[in-house]
Amino acid sequence: MLNQNQKPKKKEIKDAPVPKWMVTFADMMTLLLVFFVLILSFSTMEQERYRAISMALQDSFGFQMMNPLNLIPVDNPPRTENIIEPIKPEPPTTEETGSEDQLDAIGNRLETNFTDEIEKGLMIVEQDEDHIIIRFPDDAAFGSASDWLEPQMVPIIQRVGDLISEYEMYVVVGGHTDNVPINTDRYRSNWELSAARATSVAHELTWMSDMNEEYLYVVGNGDARPITTNATPDGRKKNRRVEILLMERDITEEREVFQGIQQVPTYR
């Protein structure tokens, strides 16, 4: 029996209903978790798959304007810093393509580095498919019947030698005279004079450079290879000269060097 002063205990109610706000809160947290997972996965997802999933989510939840995914442009999905950009191949350089061979490179540098000397007539540069000829006229390089270089020519020839030494070339230094015979105490003929002049130029070519003398040839031509007629004073003046003939070593065999000398255009 219960005491009259004792109040009866209330019976505990099991399976009490969950407050409605808890349901909303749980749904919101679940959605936020899904959204964060999706955003993380989009950082490495292809653009087409990203667009498809985004549209599917919008249709499923039915609140496109409130969907946080709309804040992310479909055409520009987020990227993370650890995504490596594809390496774009660089255009090949001149050396890799071989578009400018050694002869072209030397010819361009001669025209650029010796502009003043060429304009003053101290040297002449000619080029064809197989050769480069650097010509030093007699009146600029030597005195009459002498093999001593004029002082103004020494630094020029040394600079030419320094430039040539950077390339793999056969170098043929050839001396030439007119057809007027000479017979002096020093030279018995034009052969000796032309050879001595070519030797003087060869010495200056190698004096200040690292030119490989194994591929250097010195030739005395005398009056055998004129470039114009010897019948006039002006023609004889042009025929008196020293020439540097350049041929690429990698495409020229040593036995072809002397054939190359014969291929140089001359007056006949």
Side-chain angles (χ1 to χ4, degrees):
M1 294 181 63
L2 293 175
N3 191 345
Q4 294 179 354
N5 297 328
Q6 186 178 1
K7 295 181 179 180
K9 294 182 179 179
K10 293 182 178 180
K11 186 178 180 180
E12 293 182 359
I13 302 175
K14 296 183 178 181
D15 299 330
V18 178
K20 295 182 178 180
W21 65 268
M22 286 292 293
V23 178
T24 304
F25 179 81
D27 289 343
M28 181 183 67
M29 295 301 295
T30 304
L31 289 174
L32 287 175
L33 177 61
V34 172
F35 293 155
F36 283 121
V37 171
L38 288 174
I39 291 174
L40 179 62
S41 65
F42 290 158
S43 62
T44 56
M45 186 178 296
E46 294 85 1
Q47 184 172 347
E48 290 300 327
R49 292 183 58 190
Y50 169 85
R51 183 181 290 108
I53 294 174
S54 175
M55 296 300 295
L57 287 173
Q58 292 172 8
D59 295 337
S60 299
F61 293 110
F63 52 99
Q64 178 174 353
M65 296 304 297
M66 297 298 295
N67 193 335
L69 292 176
N70 292 328
L71 302 177
I72 306 172
V74 175
D75 295 332
N76 188 21
R79 306 179 63 180
T80 59
E81 295 181 356
N82 60 350
I83 298 177
I84 302 176
E85 289 281 353
I87 300 176
K88 297 181 180 180
E90 296 182 356
T93 61
T94 299
E95 294 180 357
E96 294 173 347
T97 59
S99 60
E100 183 182 41
D101 57 21
Q102 293 191 87
L103 284 179
D104 290 334
I106 294 177
N108 292 335
R109 291 183 63 184
L110 286 170
E111 293 180 358
T112 301
N113 298 352
F114 296 90
T115 302
D116 294 340
E117 289 79 2
I118 294 174
E119 291 179 353
K120 294 177 181 178
L122 300 179
M123 61 184 288
I124 300 169
V125 179
E126 297 179 355
Q127 179 177 353
D128 59 22
E129 294 181 357
D130 303 316
H131 315 89
I132 285 181
I133 298 175
I134 306 170
R135 181 175 299 129
F136 301 104
D138 170 75
D139 57 342
F142 300 97
S144 178
S146 172
D147 65 330
W148 292 96
L149 278 166
E150 295 292 336
Q152 64 177 350
M153 296 301 300
V154 172
I156 297 175
I157 296 174
Q158 290 177 349
R159 287 168 53 204
V160 171
D162 188 54
L163 189 155
I164 295 174
S165 65
E166 299 179 20
Y167 301 87
E168 295 183 354
M169 289 283 155
Y170 284 111
V171 182
V172 182
V173 184
H176 303 265
T177 66
D178 57 27
N179 65 346
V180 177
I182 65 167
N183 188 358
T184 65
D185 294 337
R186 185 173 175 83
Y187 307 111
R188 293 173 297 175
S189 66
N190 283 324
W191 292 104
E192 293 184 0
L193 175 60
S194 63
R197 287 179 169 177
T199 302
S200 295
V201 172
H203 276 302
E204 297 302 332
L205 280 178
T206 58
W207 182 257
M208 300 292 290
S209 71
D210 297 325
M211 185 179 300
N212 191 340
E213 297 182 12
E214 179 182 356
Y215 303 101
L216 174 65
Y217 300 84
V218 179
V219 181
N221 295 282
D223 62 351
R225 298 189 61 76
I227 56 175
T228 186
T229 178
N230 279 307
T232 64
D234 185 63
R236 291 192 293 271
K237 177 181 176 182
K238 292 180 179 178
N239 288 331
R240 297 191 297 268
R241 69 207 188 271
V242 174
E243 294 177 341
I244 301 174
L245 175 66
L246 304 179
M247 289 177 285
E248 288 192 75
R249 217 184 299 163
D250 57 346
I251 61 174
T252 308
E253 296 183 6
E254 189 171 7
R255 63 183 178 82
E256 296 176 334
V257 173
F258 299 101
Q259 297 177 3
I261 298 174
Q262 300 299 320
Q263 294 171 5
V264 176
T266 60
Y267 174 84
R268 295 298 183 186

